[in-house]
Amino acid sequence: MERIFNKLKGDKWIWIIVILLSVWSLLAVYSSTGTLAYKEGRGTETYLIKHFTLIFAGLILMYFSHLLDYRYYAGISKILMIITIPLLLYTLLFTESVNDANRWVTIPVINQTFQTSDMAKLALITFLARMLTRKQENIKDVKRAFVPIMGSVCVVIILIAIANMSTAIMLFAVSILLLIIGRISIKQIAYVSVAGVFLLTLVVLLGPRRQTYVSRISTFLGEGQPDPDKEFQANQAKIAIATGGLFGKGPGNSTQRNVLPHPYSDFIFAIIIEEYGAVGGVVLAILYLVFMYRCIRIVTQSPKAFGALLAAGLGFSLTIQAFGNMAVAVGLGPVTGVPLPLVSMGGTSILFTSVAFGIILSVSRNIDELKSKDKEREVGTKKVNDKVIVGEIPAMV
C-alpha cells in the first residue's frame, strides 16, 4: 500500500477521500440496484461489475490527468469549448427526449450514452479559469475582459438550463465564485447575478420544460393541493432517512430501495442514511467538506493564478453538486437529477468527475514539486555556505 501511495502525486488526503468514496459507492450501488435488476431480469452482480468498471476507469483517468502538467489544460479548455457549444445545441435539437429532457448523446460504435452537460461543466470551468488568468492586466475593462468572459459563460449556462436547470444553477454559482476570486469588480458581478437570475427565470417560465420546473418548485413550496404522485420521491426519501435512525439498518438492509425511484443515483444519499444512519450521512458530508478544505489549501499555495482558479472552480463545483444532491434527499430542495459525485451510479459522469479530481491533483502535484525544488536549493545553499565557513577557519586560526 505504501508503494502505491508513493506513486500517487499531489494531495494525499484527496487521494484517500477518492478511495473512500469509491469503496462506499460500490457498497451503496450494489445494495440499491436489486429492484432494477429484478425489473430487467438481470443479476445484481451485473450492475456491480459495470459500476466497478466505471470506477476503475475513472481512477485510471484520474491518475493520468494528475500526471499531466495542469498548464496544458489551458489549451485543452479552448478545444473543449469549441466542441461543447455545438454539442449542446445538437443535444437540444436532434437527440431523443428522455423524461421530457434532451440531455444525452449516444456515442457511435460503442452505443454508450453520455450527458453533454458533464463535459460542459468541465469545459466552462477550465476555460473560465484560463480567460480570467489571461485578462488579469485588463480585468476591470468591460470590453476587453468582462464581455468576452461573460459571453462564454452565458451561452453555455443557457444551453444547459433549457434541459437541465439544476446543473445550470450550480454552474452559474461556481462561475460567480470564480469571478470574485478572479478580481472582477463587485459592480459587474452584481449586474451578472441579476441578469443571470432573470435569464434562468425566463427559461423556467418559457422553456420547453416549464411545466416540469414549475411543478417541482410548487410541490417543494407546498403550494396548492397535495399531490401524492408528485411528492412520492421526496416522501419515500424522507421515510428512508427517518427509519435509518442514528446508526442505520446495516449495509444491504435497506427496504426503501424497493420503493424509492432511482435509489442508486439521484437518491443514493437517502439509502446511505437508511443503511448507515445519521452517523454515516454526517461522515459522508465531512468527506466532501475535507475535500473542499484541501482544495482551498491548494488555492492559497498555488503560485500561479490559473492553478488557483482551476482548483477553486472544480473544487467548488464538485462540493456544491454533492451538497445539492444531499439537500434534495433530505427535503431541503426541489427534486432534481443531480448525482452524488463519485458515489451515485452513473456512466460518463463518473469519468468526467474523475478527470476533475485529476486536474485538482495536478495543481497540487505542481505545488509539491516546487516546494521540493525550493528545499533542494536551500540544502544546496547551506552546504555551499558550510564549505566556505569550514574552509575559512584554518586561515583565521
Side-chain angles (χ1 to χ4, degrees), residues 261-308:
H262 308 294
Y264 42 82
S265 55
D266 299 348
F267 287 92
I268 198 167
F269 186 63
I271 301 301
I272 287 173
I273 294 180
E274 184 184 9
E275 294 188 345
Y276 298 91
V279 172
V282 170
V283 169
L284 187 60
I286 288 173
L287 287 178
Y288 286 108
L289 288 174
V290 173
F291 163 70
M292 190 64 245
Y293 169 72
R294 301 307 298 183
C295 287
I296 292 171
R297 277 180 59 88
I298 293 170
V299 171
T300 57
Q301 293 175 3
S302 178
K304 301 292 184 180
F306 180 61

Side-chain angles (χ1 to χ4, degrees), residues 32-276:
S32 58
T33 50
T35 303
L36 178 65
Y38 176 77
K39 287 180 179 178
E40 297 194 0
R42 299 179 181 180
T44 310
E45 293 77 11
T46 304
Y47 297 98
L48 177 64
I49 293 170
K50 181 181 178 181
H51 188 60
F52 175 81
T53 303
L54 284 166
I55 290 287
F56 184 71
L59 290 173
I60 292 173
L61 279 175
M62 197 182 305
Y63 178 75
F64 285 107
S65 297
H66 102 291
L67 290 180
L68 182 65
D69 191 314
Y70 75 88
R71 286 168 289 192
Y72 285 106
Y73 290 107
I76 293 172
S77 69
K78 189 175 180 181
I79 298 170
L80 282 177
M81 282 294 287
I82 292 171
I83 296 171
T84 294
I85 293 176
L87 194 58
L88 286 170
L89 282 169
Y90 173 81
T91 305
L92 289 172
L93 298 174
F94 301 109
T95 60
E96 185 179 352
S97 176
V98 179
N99 295 328
D100 298 323
N102 299 74
R103 300 180 185 176
W104 292 267
V105 170
T106 302
I107 302 172
V109 183
I110 63 174
N111 200 32
Q112 175 69 48
T113 60
F114 82 99
Q115 204 164 325
T116 49
S117 59
D118 291 326
M119 178 189 286
K121 283 189 294 184
L122 188 63
L124 181 60
I125 291 170
T126 53
F127 185 74
L128 188 54
R130 174 183 181 270
M131 290 286 286
L132 285 169
T133 303
R134 293 197 164 209
K135 301 290 184 180
Q136 279 302 303
E137 293 182 3
N138 305 303
I139 200 65
K140 305 297 183 182
D141 192 305
V142 175
K143 291 183 179 179
R144 292 184 181 181
F146 183 71
V147 172
I149 290 170
M150 289 316 303
S152 57
V153 171
C154 291
V155 169
V156 172
I157 287 177
I158 292 301
L159 289 175
I160 293 175
I162 294 172
N164 194 342
M165 179 58 69
S166 54
T167 298
I169 291 172
M170 291 180 188
L171 190 54
F172 181 68
V174 172
S175 299
I176 294 297
L177 288 170
L178 276 180
L179 293 178
I180 295 171
I181 297 170
R183 300 192 308 115
I184 294 285
S185 73
I186 299 300
K187 185 178 180 180
Q188 291 174 352
I189 291 172
Y191 288 146
V192 170
S193 300
V194 172
V197 171
F198 176 73
L199 288 172
L200 291 174
T201 303
L202 284 180
V203 173
V204 170
L205 297 176
L206 304 176
R209 300 197 72 209
R210 57 186 176 277
Q211 291 182 346
T212 302
Y213 293 148
V214 172
S215 174
R216 287 180 177 178
I217 294 170
S218 299
T219 301
F220 172 69
L221 296 175
E223 296 179 353
Q225 295 296 323
D227 189 335
D229 291 334
K230 293 179 180 179
E231 298 174 0
F232 184 77
Q233 285 180 302
N235 289 338
Q236 295 304 317
K238 290 175 185 175
I239 292 171
I241 291 168
T243 55
L246 189 60
F247 298 105
K249 299 176 180 178
N253 293 324
S254 167
T255 53
Q256 287 303 110
R257 64 187 175 187
N258 300 319
V259 184
L260 182 62
H262 308 294
Y264 42 82
S265 55
D266 299 348
F267 287 92
I268 198 167
F269 186 63
I271 301 301
I272 287 173
I273 294 180
E274 184 184 9
E275 294 188 345
Y276 298 91

